Amino acid sequence: MEELQVLVDQGKVDENAPNKEGKKLELTVDKVIEEHVGSFGIAQLVHVFMVSLAWLFDSQNTLVTIFSDAQPSWSCKGGGSWCQQGSKGSMCGLEQETWEWVGGNASSTIAEWGLVCDRKFQAGIPASLFFLGSLLGSAVFGRLADLYIGRKRTVLLSCLLTSMTAFLTSLSPNVWIYALLRFSNGFARAGIGICCLVLSTEVVGRKWRGQVGQYGFFFFTVGFLSLPLMAYPNRTSWRNIYKIISLLPFVYSILILPFVSESPRWLVVRGRTKEALEVLRVLARMNGKKLPMNLHISNPSTSSKLNEPDVTKSLWSARWATRRMITVMIAGLGVGFMYYGIQLNVENLNFNLYLTVVVNATMEIPAVFIGSLLLSFMNRRLLFSSSTYIAGASCIICIFFSRKNSTVMGGQGKNEEEKGNWTQLIIEAIGFMAASTAFDILYIYCVELFPTNVRNSAVSLLRQALMLGASIAPLLVVLGRLSPSLSFLIFGGFAILSGILTLWLPETRNAPLYETLEQQEEEEKLSSASDSELELGKQ
């Protein structure tokens, strides 16, 4: 048997041909994983770990503006308070030589380029363009991953571009070049999340998909939690923060990503069944198992040739998929607006910025583990909608604890003399944990709602919707500096609306992952007919 395996590996024996053990065994990737590789073993654990590390950079590049674009405190030169007289605590209208930024002009982009008073809304433009770049990047990288270079190479390309654009951002000479580079950075990082999620979930058994998806979000949380640790020592130089986060994805691309395997499902859909079988054989070997020598991977595509319409068919070619995708995208719009908005809105809480970010990042950790636990036995639709309702309600409750800052532009009224509102912080943290849970679950839900040949495209479209919602959030955060209550009300309303929309989506818990649109449509119709017959039988 071992000699035959060597011959197969060397290409001297056709692994698909019948042999002495019996007729050719033809199975789908799903069945090979469930029956021969193992639903989730050490091989998948190592694979998911290496892939999920990339979420660190996705998080850091997305949320770095919490610190780099924060509005710092200001003080009167000489340490007195005489310059506040007649200005109601705002630096607007004061002579420039009478006040200064705490931490210096290089502490943030707002301080360096004077994005206050009549230029205050320019401060939200770079963050908004970042998310618009992510929206465009999601479309491009999603198509690349599904139709051309695969999941693994797309992650590599995205990481290298993310590293380059983050470093260039640190050299920005003005706010407009900075905004353009943030757009480029958003475009570059878009391929990380969508491909890492799909690449992780496509090598495990169906009952582990939800948990594995959550592992990636755990690393996103770790990246979020690492930001205060990098930002605080560099609180006098926002440029240094960008230089640090630009190094990490480059190192990952060189040292870790080469050892990651391509998705066997994508290889099968592209007609590369021998490569898919080799990936599965390596996974099985790491799990202490062996694949049958007469095993053949079946390709569910009805096309006889590679790259025929069945393989490259658009997500919009099937009416059921179009309706489903539009619903998911509208829900994603609200979730992205809420999730990123709550994170960026932390400066409008009455608390130290670094402490608040640490609290929020810490709350994502139980969100990941609670989400993983609940996904193992709860319906996706119910769990997602419940999370959005809790997040929305928490945002609305925060309104009753909001106090308008005692300064118009967040100056000395935000300093040590103002005590933090612990009740508001706790409620906001609970809301953020629920928002994080909803955000994570929606990704898992989307993966399960669509087949392999359009799965990355579906996830990328969801990401575009999330980024579109997120691109609006920074502008609302700027408005929240004037009216925190209004920003919390709008965030809460969008969250609740997103939960309601899932009533029009099917449940996917324990459902198989299909390979093509035609296969999924046919199987779901058969499943629906079987359920109807069972209900009639019970009556």
Side-chain angles (χ1 to χ4, degrees), residues 214 217 335 338-339 367 371 383-389 391 431-445 462 466 495 498-499:
Q214 292 289 300
F217 300 128
V335 170
M338 165 191 66
Y339 176 75
L383 186 54
F384 172 77
S385 59
S386 300
S387 300
T388 57
Y389 297 152
F432 179 69
M433 183 172 72
S436 176
T437 302
F439 185 91
D440 298 351
I441 292 168
L442 186 57
Y443 266 116
I444 306 299
Y445 201 8
L462 168 60
L466 290 165
S498 296

Side-chain angles (χ1 to χ4, degrees), residues 328-372:
V328 170
M329 289 178 70
I330 297 174
L333 178 70
V335 170
F337 181 74
M338 165 191 66
Y339 176 75
Y340 289 108
I342 292 176
Q343 293 181 83
L344 299 175
N345 202 44
V346 294
E347 67 173 86
N348 292 321
L349 295 174
N350 301 316
F351 252 89
N352 175 275
L353 178 61
Y354 295 93
L355 175 61
T356 306
V357 171
V358 169
V359 170
N360 271 358
T362 303
M363 292 303 288
E364 282 217 71
I365 296 176
V368 169
F369 286 105
I370 291 173
S372 298

